[in-house]
Amino acid sequence: MNAKLPQAVLALSDIAEIVSLEKGAIIKKQFERVTHFYVLLEGTVHFHQLLSTDGEEILAGKSHSAYAPIGMDAFISPYRNETTAVVDSSFAKLIKWNTDTLVQRLEQHSITAINFFKFINHHSNRFIGDTSGLFSSGSNVAVSVINEQETTADFVELESEATPDLILFLLQSPFFEIFEEQDLKLLTANMQRRHYQKGDLIIDQGEVKKGVFILESGVVQYARQIFDIESGKKFNVPFRSISTPGYLVSSSTLLGVVSAMNAFATEDSIIRYIPSDTLSKTFEDHIEFELQFQKRILWLINNQLRAVRTRLITSQFNDEEIVANTLITGNNTKISVRSDLHKVPALLTNKNTIPIALDILHEVEIKGQPAEKNLASLCLDNLLKTQKESEFYQALLGVYSTTVESDNTSNKALLHECMQACKKAFTIPSIYVKGLENIPAKPGAIFIYNHLSNDEYYTLPNQFQITLDSHYLSYLLYEIYGQLAQRVVRLGKREEFGHEDYYNKFNFINVITRDSDHSDQSNQSKKEALKNFNAAIKYTLVQGKNIIISPEGVSHSTEMSPTQFKAGIFKLIQALDFEPLIVPVVMANFDKRISDKKFACEIKKPFKLSAKLRQYKTKDLSVFLKAYQAEYREYVEQLVSTIETENSAQFEFDQEVKALRRRMLSKRNEEGLMAFYGSSTLRLWENMPSDLGYDKAINFGFGGSTYEWCLHYFRQLFKGIYPSVFVLYGGDNDLANGRTPEDVLRTVKLLIERIKQHVPQSPIAIISVKPSPSRTHLQPSIITLNEQLKSLTHTDTQLHWIDTYTDMRDKNGKVRTELFVEDMLHLNESGYECWSEAVRTQLLAAHLLKKQNP
């Protein structure tokens, strides 16, 4: 065997062999007992993990580092492979040991074993960097542009009391719990106590620190700095955070090697630090302790690598349930068949049982066996959205039960209880509020708002929905005025017992809408109902109370809001012998999930109806309402734009869009342009004009955008630019971000409407969503969305369909993976050749592309 190999390997070379494997060869398979241990000499190896949902495997890591160990589970109970390892290069050269023979030799020679474990620990630690390097700014995890001044590398050393409690502290640490007290006593002799303030760097990515860093209190967050080639920027990809006392902060410091990521305090934190020379001295005098310590480092690296792989799965699936399920199923060989963790995947599938699942995870994290503790902690780290959603849903249940099940007979006391429950609920989501200074000093105004529908997730078990926008406005005004505003509420249907039980508790003003069972009333009954309605409104205003009412009478999504304003409340105002103030309240995103969007509420300046009619230069109420509805829609769009600026994790598109706009300024007022508008699949199509044989084909693709972002940036990008043809591509990022095909279709319709407003006669072509292998789990949604988009183009002669999906699959219907680059998401040269042919042919057939340049 080659004498240039590291000494730790040469010492065991007599029981090893060198093997060469071809591309696609399986080195080890997930769940199987480890029979061989390998060290990589040449080539690239990919690590795949089985998805619990459908039996498919996803890329969960890779390595091309020399001496990368493969089969570390040979030394970690229960000695079964956690991933499948496959040769990805044309060939791979490896050193191979039989694990039984290797373990037997290591047990016989402690010094050889120590050197061997030092060697594989050093090279195993590189896996953390290699795997975390697979992340990009387009991941589903929340990335952020790095602010170089975000953190400081500093701490304050505290006085460290030498007490027996330090040994107890170490024994409670998952890392040290296997050691004997007499060994740990040696480590406490020079233990330091450090205070890190919020924002302080504990470990800096790329630096070498030595010693043992153990969390005593506080919270430590891990993040990997990634340089994104496409945007030319650095991003922070957040990983897990730890808050459990006794957890070690980093494995790199134990090895004295370069750290793969940053570790910084997100709260004021206390770290216990054991200097490296204390470790070295202990090792010199206690060889068996050093061997046990090196084995424990391998255990720690394996846990940290599992955490990174789990985060990588999270980045590919916008579904925390899948991640938790995969994590537990993928590690079920490490936990007892009686473990409560096995219950968690099933409990996570129903929002009413999610709290039970979370309770199990929290309890196991504290009281479980070591392997269970680690899995529970990882699950909780990757269920942050689920936890927040569950907390909010439970709070909405609290609003309902507080009201319906209350024994209070006093309406005032009941309202107070309800508002306190609302207060608890609305402290959970992130809510942007603007214009509080516009709220009148005294009550007695009419607050109008655009009514948004609820996301179905927040429907209670009795099918009742706590309308989020109106309840939030009620709570907000209650906080300001100390009294509940009088709401106008529709009469429910007979089967809506939850609606009736809830609203009957309040003396709200009822109104009949198309969603009421009373729409078949006689004309006389309707007149009587209208008379009572008007009297109730007038009485409330005379009493100096606020009124909350939606002029639409129905609810819609933010994108479609508001729809037609009904004249009823405005006619009533005109009929009054006094004129109340009208306060417009603009709502956005209350129809979304709180984990997807920030809710937004903006109070505009109050006005009197008579003054507003004069402003619009009309006395005709219908003319005014049509114009005011259009104005209100602009309010909603502006608020959506503002809130995206405030809250979007992907708003790094701003700089890219501005740069794209600068490049396109020369196209202002140019005729014959064909604009390709959409995501990075378009942006990376470098030879678009030559591929299409049309030099006026211009590329407006940007980043990992979605159709929502295309809608958002349209006016900014196309101001003064009027293409003759638009070609749109998007949808796959939308679906990956958790949007449904119906959501995407609605956004596409709005984008088409905006294009028509900008260039009324321009034909619009829509390219089918491509079947990326990395998004196999989205294929049913991709197929549905393509069918819906295709149907849309058949309903409007201005729209045209371009099918690339068919050509990207072989005759057996399988995706042609040879068309994609390594990430199995973006197209390679062959992929763009396939696209070019399909797009050019279909544009020519639709008479949208000239055969020769003009």
Side-chain angles (χ1 to χ4, degrees):
M1 196 168 285
N2 192 337
K4 293 183 179 180
L5 289 173
Q7 184 58 40
V9 175
L10 282 175
L12 298 163
S13 60
D14 61 309
I15 56 172
E17 62 175 317
I18 293 181
V19 296
S20 292
L21 300 176
E22 295 181 349
K23 184 180 177 69
I26 297 176
I27 303 171
K28 66 186 183 85
K29 198 156 188 177
Q30 187 177 357
F31 300 131
E32 288 185 352
R33 183 168 286 279
V34 186
T35 57
H36 293 89
F37 177 77
Y38 301 83
V39 168
L40 181 66
L41 295 176
E42 298 178 44
T44 300
V45 175
H46 279 189
F47 298 89
H48 299 274
Q49 193 157 345
L50 195 66
L51 274 182
S52 60
T53 50
D54 51 16
E56 292 194 19
E57 291 182 330
I58 65 166
L59 181 65
K62 67 177 180 179
S63 183
H64 50 76
S65 301
Y67 309 127
I70 302 172
M72 294 183 294
D73 293 297
F75 310 104
I76 302 171
S77 177
Y79 315 110
R80 292 186 179 275
N81 293 312
E82 197 164 311
T83 58
T84 296
V86 181
V87 176
D88 187 65
S89 49
S90 57
F91 84 101
K93 188 176 180 182
L94 308 101
I95 305 174
K96 177 181 178 182
W97 285 270
N98 175 280
T99 54
D100 290 339
T101 305
L102 178 61
V103 169
Q104 185 177 10
R105 172 72 67 87
L106 294 175
E107 287 176 347
Q108 294 169 351
H109 301 278
S110 295
I111 298 298
T112 299
I114 289 171
N115 291 332
F116 180 74
F117 280 111
K118 281 183 177 179
F119 169 79
I120 64 173
N121 285 341
H122 178 85
H123 291 284
S124 296
N125 194 68
R126 291 184 179 178
F127 279 137
I128 296 173
D130 290 343
T131 305
S132 60
L134 292 173
F135 287 84
S136 70
S137 62
S139 302
N140 283 333
V141 295
V143 299
S144 58
V145 179
I146 287 177
N147 177 354
E148 300 294 348
Q149 303 303 317
E150 279 181 351
T151 56
T152 57
D154 201 6
F155 65 89
V156 175
E157 188 165 338
L158 304 175
E159 185 176 346
S160 182
E161 67 283 4
T163 68
D165 289 344
L166 289 180
I167 297 174
L168 181 60
F169 170 70
L170 290 179
L171 285 171
Q172 290 174 340
S173 163
F175 182 87
F176 287 107
E177 63 185 359
I178 66 166
F179 295 96
E180 298 296 330
E181 288 188 28
Q182 60 267 27
D183 293 324
L184 297 180
K185 187 175 182 179
L186 299 171
L187 297 180
T188 64
N190 297 307
M191 185 183 287
Q192 299 173 13
R193 195 163 182 257
R194 298 177 173 183
H195 176 225
Y196 292 84
Q197 294 184 336
K198 181 178 180 179
D200 284 348
L201 270 174
I202 302 168
I203 311 292
D204 193 0
Q205 180 176 323
E207 77 168 336
V208 175
K209 280 191 175 181
K210 299 179 180 180
V212 185
F213 292 75
I214 315 168
L215 181 66
E216 179 181 307
S217 63
V219 180
V220 175
Q221 171 79 55
Y222 299 99
R224 167 85 173 178
Q225 289 187 10
I226 303 290
F227 179 75
D228 186 68
I229 298 175
E230 292 185 9
S231 64
K233 299 177 186 176
K234 289 182 180 179
F235 294 87
N236 264 332
V237 179
F239 289 88
R240 68 180 304 193
S241 61
I242 58 171
S243 58
T244 304
Y247 268 49
L248 267 63
V249 174
S250 175
S251 58
S252 65
T253 63
L254 302 177
L255 301 167
V257 297
V258 171
S259 175
M261 59 185 69
N262 292 319
F264 56 93
T266 53
E267 293 181 6
D268 283 7
S269 301
I270 304 295
I271 300 293
R272 292 282 183 173
Y273 172 67
I274 303 173
S276 58
D277 56 357
T278 299
L279 273 180
S280 299
K281 189 176 186 309
T282 307
F283 292 162
E284 287 174 8
D285 301 333
H286 301 80
I287 292 176
E288 290 305 317
F289 173 71
E290 181 179 9
L291 176 57
Q292 196 174 18
F293 196 89
Q294 293 299 332
K295 289 181 178 180
R296 204 59 179 164
I297 292 175
L298 184 62
W299 169 87
L300 177 64
I301 292 170
N302 191 56
N303 285 345
Q304 293 181 337
L305 183 58
R306 185 185 299 127
V308 175
R309 285 173 174 162
T310 301
R311 196 65 173 146
L312 186 62
I313 296 172
T314 304
S315 75
Q316 298 179 56
F317 296 91
N318 194 27
D319 190 330
E320 294 183 339
E321 177 195 327
I322 288 178
V323 177
N325 197 350
T326 298
L327 185 61
I328 293 171
T329 305
N331 291 278
N332 59 18
T333 60
K334 295 179 170 60
I335 56 179
S336 166
V337 293
R338 292 184 178 275
S339 173
D340 283 342
L341 290 180
H342 296 301
K343 303 174 185 177
V344 170
L347 293 170
L348 287 175
T349 60
N350 188 308
K351 62 188 177 185
N352 293 297
T353 58
I354 286 174
I356 303 173
L358 296 175
D359 286 345
I360 289 174
L361 290 171
H362 283 296
E363 184 172 359
V364 170
E365 185 184 28
I366 297 170
K367 301 179 181 179
Q369 297 300 312
E372 289 181 313
K373 287 181 179 179
N374 184 259
L375 283 176
S377 178
L378 286 176
C379 283
L380 289 170
D381 284 342
N382 289 279
L383 287 170
L384 297 178
K385 289 183 178 180
T386 300
Q387 292 182 71
K388 189 173 183 179
E389 291 280 15
S390 180
E391 187 181 357
F392 186 54
Y393 179 71
Q394 292 300 313
L396 294 179
L397 291 176
V399 173
Y400 183 86
S401 60
T402 295
T403 302
V404 174
E405 299 167 13
S406 175
D407 294 329
N408 261 316
T409 56
S410 164
N411 186 254
K412 184 176 181 180
L414 179 62
L415 290 173
H416 177 75
E417 286 185 8
C418 180
M419 288 301 101
Q420 291 307 305
C422 286
K423 182 176 184 177
K424 180 180 178 181
F426 288 117
T427 56
I428 297 168
S430 182
I431 304 179
Y432 173 88
V433 186
K434 182 180 179 181
L436 290 174
E437 69 278 5
N438 291 325
I439 292 181
K442 295 181 179 181
I446 297 178
F447 288 79
I448 63 172
Y449 68 103
N450 56 306
H451 193 16
L452 302 178
S453 53
N454 273 29
D455 189 283
E456 284 299 318
Y457 184 84
Y458 302 124
T459 302
L460 306 189
N462 61 359
Q463 302 307 304
F464 178 63
Q465 291 186 334
I466 304 287
T467 50
L468 299 182
D469 52 1
S470 58
H471 275 75
Y472 176 71
L473 182 54
S474 295
Y475 152 69
L476 184 66
L477 297 182
Y478 183 82
E479 288 286 292
I480 292 170
Y481 292 110
Q483 66 175 37
L484 191 72
Q486 178 63 284
R487 278 185 54 192
V488 176
V489 180
R490 72 170 176 88
L491 282 169
K493 296 179 180 178
R494 293 180 181 87
E495 66 270 19
E496 293 179 315
F497 60 90
H499 183 282
E500 182 177 323
D501 290 346
Y502 183 78
Y503 284 114
N504 279 0
K505 287 279 187 173
F506 307 111
N507 294 324
F508 287 153
I509 300 172
N510 290 321
V511 65
I512 298 170
T513 72
R514 68 186 184 192
D515 295 322
S516 304
D517 272 335
H518 306 269
S519 55
D520 58 350
Q521 284 183 320
S522 66
N523 289 334
Q524 183 60 36
S525 297
K526 289 179 179 179
K527 287 180 180 180
E528 189 65 28
L530 179 60
K531 181 180 177 182
N532 293 336
F533 174 80
N534 291 344
I537 293 288
K538 182 175 180 179
Y539 177 79
T540 301
L541 293 172
V542 169
Q543 292 295 310
K545 292 184 178 180
N546 293 313
I547 289 174
I548 296 175
I549 185 171
S550 169
E552 301 163 273
V554 290
S555 59
H556 294 279
S557 67
T558 297
E559 292 77 12
M560 303 298 290
S561 180
T563 52
Q564 183 180 0
F565 283 166
K566 292 184 170 63
I569 187 66
F570 300 98
K571 286 182 177 179
L572 189 155
I573 292 171
Q574 286 183 321
L576 292 173
D577 51 11
F578 61 94
E579 191 169 9
L581 282 174
I582 299 174
V583 186
V585 181
V586 185
M587 297 292 190
N589 294 343
F590 280 86
D591 56 317
K592 313 299 185 204
R593 296 278 290 272
I594 64 170
S595 56
D596 293 335
K597 295 285 185 180
K598 177 184 281 191
F599 291 169
C601 171
E602 180 179 1
I603 297 95
K604 308 297 283 187
K605 289 185 177 180
F607 63 85
K608 289 191 175 182
L609 181 58
S610 59
K612 203 71 172 177
L613 288 169
R614 287 194 298 271
Q615 179 186 333
Y616 276 85
K617 299 178 181 179
T618 183
K619 294 182 179 179
D620 190 325
L621 201 57
S622 61
V623 173
F624 158 70
L625 289 177
K626 186 175 181 180
Y628 188 54
Q629 180 207 339
E631 180 182 327
Y632 217 103
R633 176 165 287 192
E634 289 185 6
Y635 291 160
V636 176
E637 291 176 353
Q638 289 167 5
L639 182 57
V640 169
S641 176
T642 299
I643 204 62
E644 284 172 347
T645 307
E646 288 285 326
N647 192 46
S648 174
Q650 299 185 39
F651 224 68
E652 58 266 18
F653 292 151
D654 243 352
Q655 296 303 317
E656 186 177 351
V657 168
K658 288 176 182 176
L660 178 59
R661 171 65 184 174
R662 286 194 296 270
R663 292 199 302 271
M664 295 300 177
L665 286 177
S666 61
K667 306 297 183 182
R668 284 180 295 183
N669 300 316
E670 186 173 336
E671 294 182 357
L673 297 176
M674 177 178 286
F676 284 75
Y677 189 41
S679 66
S680 56
T681 301
L682 290 182
R683 186 177 65 78
L684 297 172
W685 190 353
E686 295 179 352
N687 302 317
M688 180 189 291
S690 58
D691 286 347
L692 296 174
Y694 192 67
D695 59 13
K696 289 197 172 186
I698 51 177
N699 195 331
F700 277 88
F702 62 97
S705 67
T706 62
Y707 271 125
E708 284 186 321
W709 287 113
C710 289
L711 178 65
H712 173 76
Y713 283 115
F714 182 86
R715 287 172 176 160
Q716 180 178 340
L717 277 171
F718 288 96
K719 185 177 181 180
I721 301 174
Y722 304 97
S724 298
V725 178
F726 278 86
V727 183
L728 308 178
Y729 179 78
D732 43 1
N733 289 329
D734 304 65
L735 296 173
N737 288 343
R739 312 309 294 162
T740 66
E742 291 72 26
D743 292 332
V744 182
L745 182 65
R746 282 195 295 269
T747 306
V748 172
K749 287 179 178 178
L750 290 170
L751 178 58
I752 289 170
E753 181 180 332
R754 187 153 291 175
I755 293 172
K756 288 182 176 181
Q757 290 172 352
H758 186 65
V759 190
Q761 303 304 319
S762 287
I764 302 166
I766 302 174
I767 300 176
S768 60
V769 183
K770 66 183 190 297
S772 302
S774 64
R775 289 174 172 169
T776 302
H777 62 293
L778 294 175
Q779 284 306 306
S781 295
I782 289 173
I783 292 170
T784 299
L785 178 57
N786 278 337
E787 290 173 349
Q788 292 176 345
L789 291 173
K790 184 177 181 180
S791 297
L792 178 65
T793 62
H794 291 165
T795 63
D796 187 340
T797 56
Q798 198 171 331
L799 305 181
H800 303 270
W801 179 244
I802 297 179
D803 178 21
T804 58
Y805 184 92
T806 301
D807 290 347
M808 299 184 76
R809 302 176 78 89
D810 62 23
K811 61 182 180 181
N812 296 318
K814 293 185 177 180
V815 179
R816 296 170 58 191
T817 56
E818 73 273 12
L819 302 179
F820 294 83
V821 296
E822 188 174 349
D823 66 4
M824 288 293 133
L825 176 62
H826 295 100
L827 301 178
N828 58 22
E829 186 175 347
S830 298
Y832 281 114
E833 286 178 3
C834 173
W835 256 48
S836 300
E837 181 64 26
V839 173
R840 183 177 63 249
T841 300
Q842 293 175 70
L843 285 175
L844 285 169
H847 305 290
L848 302 181
L849 181 67
K850 299 178 182 179
K851 292 186 179 181
Q852 294 181 341
N853 290 336

